[in-house]
C-alpha cells in the first residue's frame, strides 16, 4: 500500500520515507547475531500483553458468538451452559418477516454511504487541496464533526429532521406544502440516517484523499501540463489512476464503518418505523437485547461478521498487492 | 538576458493547461459550501441550546434569537455531573490501557521478523472491522460471567479490546519510521531492550502516541453501545447514555437536549482545538500504510 503512502512534508509528524523500513525488513543478508536474537525475544515479550487482551476481549467473544449462534440461548440460560440446536437459529432468522427488509436495507444503506462518501470526499479533497488559509479551516471544521460523539450528531440531526424542525421549515419557505417525515416516514427513515452517516464519514475520506493527492509528484503534473493536457484530462488520466489504491482503502473502510454504524440508527430512528431503518447488525442487537432471543440475534450478528471478514480479507489482499507493486 | 524559460506560473494561468493545485473560483465556492454544510448544523446546535424555554416552544426554527441560559440552568445538576464523571472514567481508563498496550505491541510488531507480524496484522484488521453491535452480544455473557456487568470497569475493558487493533495499526507506521540502526547502536552500547525502548524509541514516537491517545479518548468518550448495554443503573451512565435517555422521553425540550449535547461535545472540541493539526496528519499517515 505504500504507493498510497504519505511522504512526510516539512512540519509533518512522520519521519523518513517508508521504503527504508520495507527494504530493511526484507533484507536477506542480515546476519542473526545473539544481540538480534535477544532483541527478538524482547519484542515478543512486548507483544504478549496486547495479544492476551485481544485474545480474551476480542477473539474469545467471536468464538462465543459463533457458539451462541448454534445454540438455544434464552434469558433463562444466558449465563448457564447452552445446548446446541444446529441451524435452528439461522432458520428462525430467515423465516422472520422482517429479515428480507433488513437485508435489503443493509445493502441500500451501505451503498448510499459508500457512493456518497467516496464521491463527495474526493470532491471535497480537490476543493481543499489549494494551500489557502480557508482550506485548513474547513478541514479542521470537518474533522471536528468527525470526532464528535455519534450520539450528539444523531440527536442534532433528529432535531433538525423533525416534522416542525429546521429542514421542513426551510422546505416550507421554499414552497413545499406538506412536511416530510424524514425520520417518521418508512420511505424516508433509512435514507435520512444514511445521509447523516455519510455526512459524518466524508471528513475522514476527504483528509485521506487530500494527503494522497498532495503526494502526487509535482513533476508529473507539470509534464502533463507541458504536454498540453487539460485540467479534466490530468485528473482522469493521471490523478485518478495514481489515487486508485487510496480509493480502494477508503472504500473498504467506509463500507466497514457503514456496517458498524449503530449509534446513529439507535438514536435517530431506533430502527423504525417498524424495521424500516434497521440494518442486519442492528437487527441482531434488537433480537438479543430487546426480544431476548440471544441465539437468533447471535445468528444475525454472525452473518454480519462473515460479511465483514470477507471485506477484511479483501482489504489485506489489496494492501499486500499494493505493497508488492510499489 | 534570456527569455527562453517561461515561468511556469504564468503558463498555468492560461485556461486549460494548468497546475490543478492552484486556487480557482470553484475552490472558493466549494469551500464556502463545505463551511455551510459542516458549520451550520454546529451553529444550530449551539443557538438552540441558547434559546429560552419560551422561545423554543414558540419559534423552534428561528435562525436567531435572544440568548438565554434557561437550558443550561435546567440541565446542570447532579445527574449531569455524575454522567460527565462516568464519561471521563471510561474515556481516561480506556485511553491509558489502550495506549500502554498498543505502544508496546506496535513497537514489537515493527521489530519482529518472520511470518508472525503479517499474520497478526491480518488478524488486527479483521478485529478492527468487527461491528460492535455483533461483539456486544457475546461480551454481555462474558462480562456477566466475570461479574463485570453494570460496572465501568467492564465498559473500559470492552472498549479497550475494541479499540486496541485500531490503536496498534495507527501507531505502527510511527515505529516503522525509526531507523533500526538507532536501536542497534543503543544495543551495542549496552542498553537492554527495555532501556532502548524507554530512552530512545518512546521519545521518538511521542507525536504518534499523542495522536492515537487523543483519538482513543475521543472515541471512548463517545461510547454508547457498550454503556447502554452493560450498565443498567442510571447513576453509572455516561453522558451519551444520559442524552439518549433524555431523547427517548416523550416530553423533551430541545433547548435542554442541545445543551446536554453541547456539554457532551465540549471536552472533545477543546481537546480537538489543541490537537487538530497533528490529528489530521496522523490520520492520513495511519490510514495510508
Amino acid at each position: 500500500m505504500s504507493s498510497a503512502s504519505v511522504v512526510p512534508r516539512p512540519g509533518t509528524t512522520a519521519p523518513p520515507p517508508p521504503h527504508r523500513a520495507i527494504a530493511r525488513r526484507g533484507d536477506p543478508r542480515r546476519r542473526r547475531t545473539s544481540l538480534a536474537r535477544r532483541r527478538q525475544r524482547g519484542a515478543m515479550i512486548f507483544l504478549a500483553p496486547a495479544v492476551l487482551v485481544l485474545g480474551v476481549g476480542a477473539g474469545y467473544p467471536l468464538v462465543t458468538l459463533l457458539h451462541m449462534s448454534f445454540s438455544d440461548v434464552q434469558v433463562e440460560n444466558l449465563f448457564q451452559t447452552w445446548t446446541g440446536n444446529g441451524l435452528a437459529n439461522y432458520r428462525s432468522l430467515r423465516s422472520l418477516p422482517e429479515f428480507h427488509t433488513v437485508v435489503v436495507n443493509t445493502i441500500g444503506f451501505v451503498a448510499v454511504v459508500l457512493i456518497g462518501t467516496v464521491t463527495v470526499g474526493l470532491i471535497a479533497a480537490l476543493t481543499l487541496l489549494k494551500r489557502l488559509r480557508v482550506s485548513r479551516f474547513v478541514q479542521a471544521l470537518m474533522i471536528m464533526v468527525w470526532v464528535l460523539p455519534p450520539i450528539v450528531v444523531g440527536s442534532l440531526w433528529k432535531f433538525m429532521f423533525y416534522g416542525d424542525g429546521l429542514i421542513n421549515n426551510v422546505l416550507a419557505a421554499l414552497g413545499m406544502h406538506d412536511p416530510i417525515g424524514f425520520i417518521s416516514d418508512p420511505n424516508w427513515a433509512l435514507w435520512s440516517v444514511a445521509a447523516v452517516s455519510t455526512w459524518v464519514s466524508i471528513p475522514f475520506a476527504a483528509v485521506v484523499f487530500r494527503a494522497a493527492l498532495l503526494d502526487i509528484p509535482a513533476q508529473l503534473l507539470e509534464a502533463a501540463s507541458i504536454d498540453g493536457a487539460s485540467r479534466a484530462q490530468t485528473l482522469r488520466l493521471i490523478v485518478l489512476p495514481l489515487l486508485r489504491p487510496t480509493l480502494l482503502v477508503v472504500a473498504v473502510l467506509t463500507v466497514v464503518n457503514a456496517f458498524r454504524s449503530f449509534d446513529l440508527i439507535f438514536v435517530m430512528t431506533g430502527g423504525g418505523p417498524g424495521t424500516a431503518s434497521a440494518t442486519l447488525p442492528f437487527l441482531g442487537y434488537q433480537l438479543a437485547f430487546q426480544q431476548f432471543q440471544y441465539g437468533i440475534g447471535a445468528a444475525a450478528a454472525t452473518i454480519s461478521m462473515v460479511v465483514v471478514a470477507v471485506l477484511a480479507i479483501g482489504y489485506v489482499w489489496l494492501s499486500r498487492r499494493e505493497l508488492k507493486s510499489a | 538576458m534570456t527569455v527562453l524559460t517561461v515561468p511556469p506560473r504564468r503558463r498555468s494561468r492560461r485556461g486549460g493547461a494548468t497546475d490543478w493545485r492552484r486556487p480557482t473560483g470553484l475552490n472558493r465556492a466549494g469551500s464556502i459550501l463545505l463551511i455551510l454544510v459542516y458549520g451550520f448544523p454546529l451553529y444550530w446546535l449551539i443557538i438552540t441550546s441558547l434559546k429560552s424555554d419560551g422561545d423554543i416552544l414558540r419559534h423552534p426554527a428561528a435562525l436567531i434569537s435572544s440568548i438565554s441560559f434557561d437550558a443550561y440552568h435546567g440541565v446542570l445538576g447532579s445527574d449531569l455531573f455524575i454522567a460527565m464523571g462516568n464519561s471521563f472514567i471510561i474515556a481516561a481508563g480506556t485511553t491509558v490501557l489502550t495506549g500502554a498496550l498498543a505502544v508496546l505491541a506496535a513497537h514489537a510488531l515493527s521489530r519482529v521478523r518472520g511470518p508472525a507480524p503479517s499474520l497478526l496484522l491480518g488478524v488486527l484488521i479483521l478485529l478492527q472491522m468487527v461491528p460492535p453491535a455483533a461483539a456486544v452480544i457475546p461480551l454481555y455473557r462474558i462480562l456477566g460471567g466475570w461479574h463485570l456487568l453494570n460496572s465501568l470497569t467492564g465498559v473500559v475493558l470492552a472498549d479497550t479490546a475494541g479499540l486496541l487493533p485500531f490503536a496498534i495499526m495507527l501507531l505502527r507506521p510511527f515505529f516503522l519510521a525509526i531507523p533500526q540502526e538507532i536501536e542497534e547502536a543503543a544495543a551495542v552500547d549496552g542498553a537492554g531492550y527495555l532501556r532502548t525502548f524507554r530512552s530512545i524509541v518512546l521519545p521518538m514516537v511521542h507525536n504518534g502516541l499523542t495522536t492515537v491517545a487523543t483519538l482513543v479518548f475521543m472515541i471512548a468518550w463517545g461510547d454508547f453501545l457498550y454503556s447502554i448495554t452493560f450498565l443498567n443503573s442510571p447513576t453509572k451512565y455516561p453522558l451519551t447514555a444520559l442524552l439518549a435517555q433524555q431523547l427517548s422521553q416523550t416530553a423533551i425540550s430541545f433547548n435542554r437536549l442541545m445543551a446536554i449535547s453541547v456539554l457532551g461535545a465540549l471536552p472533545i472540541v477543546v481537546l480537538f482545538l489543541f490537537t487538530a493539526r497533528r490529528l489530521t496528519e496522523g490520520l492520513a499517515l495511519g490510514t495510508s500504510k
Side-chain angles (χ1 to χ4, degrees):
Chain A
M1 225 191 319
S2 72
S3 59
S5 69
V6 180
V7 171
R9 296 170 294 284
T12 310
T13 37
H19 59 261
R20 293 193 53 166
I22 291 156
R24 189 175 62 225
R25 281 186 304 151
D27 191 350
R29 291 164 305 171
R30 172 169 295 286
R31 273 196 306 147
R32 290 198 148 224
T33 61
S34 70
L35 201 68
R37 212 168 297 139
R38 222 173 58 212
R39 290 170 42 73
Q40 290 285 303
R41 202 163 349 132
M44 287 301 192
I45 294 168
F46 269 34
L47 211 48
V51 169
L52 185 74
V53 168
L54 285 175
V56 174
Y60 177 53
L62 287 185
V63 176
T64 308
L65 177 71
L66 200 65
H67 179 199
M68 204 181 218
S69 77
F70 294 112
S71 309
D72 182 24
V73 188
Q74 315 280 338
V75 176
E76 302 79 47
N77 69 341
L78 176 63
F79 295 110
Q80 268 87 55
T81 47
W82 303 332
T83 44
N85 63 355
L87 291 171
N89 290 328
Y90 290 90
R91 285 203 197 94
S92 313
L93 179 69
R94 205 184 51 194
S95 58
L96 284 178
E98 62 264 40
F99 182 67
H100 179 73
T101 323
V102 167
V103 169
V104 175
N105 282 354
T106 312
I107 296 169
F109 185 88
V110 170
V112 166
V113 176
L114 172 66
I115 294 168
T117 303
V118 171
T119 50
V120 183
L122 192 57
I123 294 171
L126 286 165
T127 303
L128 300 177
L129 203 58
K130 322 290 157 149
R131 303 188 186 280
L132 298 173
R133 212 175 306 146
V134 71
S135 301
R136 186 174 296 171
F137 172 76
V138 176
Q139 197 174 333
L141 177 70
M142 290 172 75
I143 288 293
M144 194 171 86
V145 164
W146 185 71
V147 297
L148 283 182
I151 295 297
V152 168
V153 171
S155 9
L156 169 63
W157 279 96
K158 184 177 188 178
F159 172 52
M160 294 200 293
F161 275 145
Y162 262 109
D164 58 351
L166 177 73
I167 296 176
N168 271 315
N169 268 288
V170 171
L171 291 177
L174 293 174
M176 269 206 28
H177 294 296
D178 302 315
I180 295 174
F182 287 108
I183 47 177
S184 56
D185 183 336
N187 294 320
W188 277 93
L190 182 73
W191 311 117
S192 302
V193 182
V196 178
S197 185
T198 310
W199 185 71
V200 177
S201 61
I202 286 169
F204 173 76
V207 167
V208 176
F209 285 148
R210 182 175 182 270
L213 285 169
L214 286 173
D215 222 25
I216 296 174
Q219 299 96 300
L220 263 177
L221 304 167
E222 265 164 39
S225 160
I226 289 166
D227 290 346
S230 74
R231 193 176 275 262
Q233 280 174 322
T234 313
L235 193 65
R236 189 165 53 87
L237 299 172
I238 296 178
V239 176
L240 283 183
L242 283 173
L243 217 56
R244 207 182 59 100
T246 315
L247 278 169
L248 285 172
V249 169
V250 170
V252 173
L253 291 179
T254 305
V255 169
V256 168
N257 272 322
F259 241 87
R260 289 169 61 105
S261 67
F262 173 90
D263 298 5
L264 283 180
I265 301 178
F266 189 99
V267 79
M268 288 180 69
T269 64
T275 49
S277 61
T279 58
L280 194 58
F282 194 85
L283 177 72
Y285 181 88
Q286 282 184 312
L287 286 167
F289 295 106
Q290 289 170 8
Q291 303 175 27
F292 307 108
Q293 295 288 343
Y294 291 97
I296 307 177
T302 304
I303 297 175
S304 320
M305 228 358 268
V306 170
V307 175
V308 165
V310 169
L311 283 169
I313 291 164
Y315 179 91
V316 173
W317 184 75
L318 277 175
S319 43
R320 280 201 164 182
R321 220 180 43 165
E322 300 301 343
L323 200 72
K324 267 184 208 144
S325 68
Chain B
M1 282 287 286
T2 170
V3 285
L4 279 177
T5 45
V6 183
R9 291 195 170 193
R10 183 167 305 166
R11 192 173 50 218
S12 66
R13 241 175 241 155
R14 281 197 327 242
T18 168
D19 175 0
W20 53 287
R21 282 183 223 200
R22 285 178 54 78
T24 64
L26 217 57
N27 285 104
R28 290 174 212 278
S31 298
I32 290 167
L33 192 66
L34 284 171
I35 290 176
L36 277 177
V37 168
Y38 282 90
F40 187 77
L42 299 183
Y43 165 77
W44 193 243
L45 173 70
I46 294 164
I47 198 74
T48 307
S49 76
L50 291 171
K51 284 179 181 169
S52 72
D53 290 343
D55 278 350
I56 196 78
L57 284 174
R58 280 189 302 269
H59 318 287
L63 283 178
I64 335 169
S65 80
S66 56
I67 286 177
S68 139
F69 291 97
D70 282 4
Y72 290 93
H73 282 302
V75 298
L76 283 173
S78 57
D79 282 2
L80 189 98
F81 294 130
I82 292 171
M84 270 193 137
N86 291 337
S87 288
F88 185 79
I89 293 171
I90 293 171
T94 306
T95 307
V96 170
L97 208 55
T98 309
L101 291 168
V103 83
L104 296 179
H107 178 254
L109 263 182
S110 69
R111 292 299 173 258
V112 176
R113 281 184 292 269
S118 48
L119 189 75
L120 197 61
L121 271 180
V123 173
L124 287 179
I125 290 173
L126 177 70
L127 290 180
Q128 191 190 0
M129 294 180 165
V130 173
V136 75
I137 301 174
L139 276 172
Y140 188 78
R141 138 117 186 183
I142 293 168
L143 289 177
W146 296 342
H147 305 286
L148 283 175
L149 287 179
N150 202 25
S151 103
L152 295 181
T153 313
V155 177
V156 168
L157 287 179
D159 270 331
T160 301
L163 290 173
L164 194 51
F166 163 77
I168 297 174
M169 305 262 297
L170 206 58
L171 264 177
R172 204 179 71 105
F174 290 93
F175 283 106
L176 282 179
I178 301 177
Q180 192 148 7
E181 290 74 24
I182 292 185
E183 288 181 57
E184 280 168 0
V188 169
D189 287 349
Y193 191 84
L194 207 62
R195 175 78 200 277
T196 313
F197 178 74
R198 206 184 52 216
S199 322
I200 312 276
V201 178
L202 217 45
M204 292 182 80
V205 293
H206 180 257
N207 274 343
L209 190 56
T210 317
T211 305
V212 172
T214 309
L215 275 172
V216 169
F217 187 94
M218 288 169 165
I219 299 173
W221 178 273
D223 169 81
F224 171 69
L225 175 60
Y226 289 155
S227 302
I228 202 85
T229 312
F230 301 147
L231 307 172
N232 50 38
S233 54
T235 52
K236 298 261 170 74
Y237 276 180
L239 259 175
T240 49
L242 182 78
L243 183 59
Q245 194 194 29
Q246 298 284 320
L247 198 62
S248 64
Q249 279 165 11
T250 41
I252 28 169
S253 68
F254 272 109
N255 55 347
R256 293 186 183 197
L257 211 58
M258 294 300 121
I260 302 178
S261 297
V262 168
L263 293 170
L266 202 61
I268 301 302
V269 171
V270 171
L271 192 57
F272 177 76
L273 291 180
F274 283 106
T275 54
R277 179 141 184 221
R278 197 178 270 176
L279 209 64
T280 313
E281 281 161 358
L283 270 181
L285 182 75
T287 312
S288 57
K289 295 230 184 83

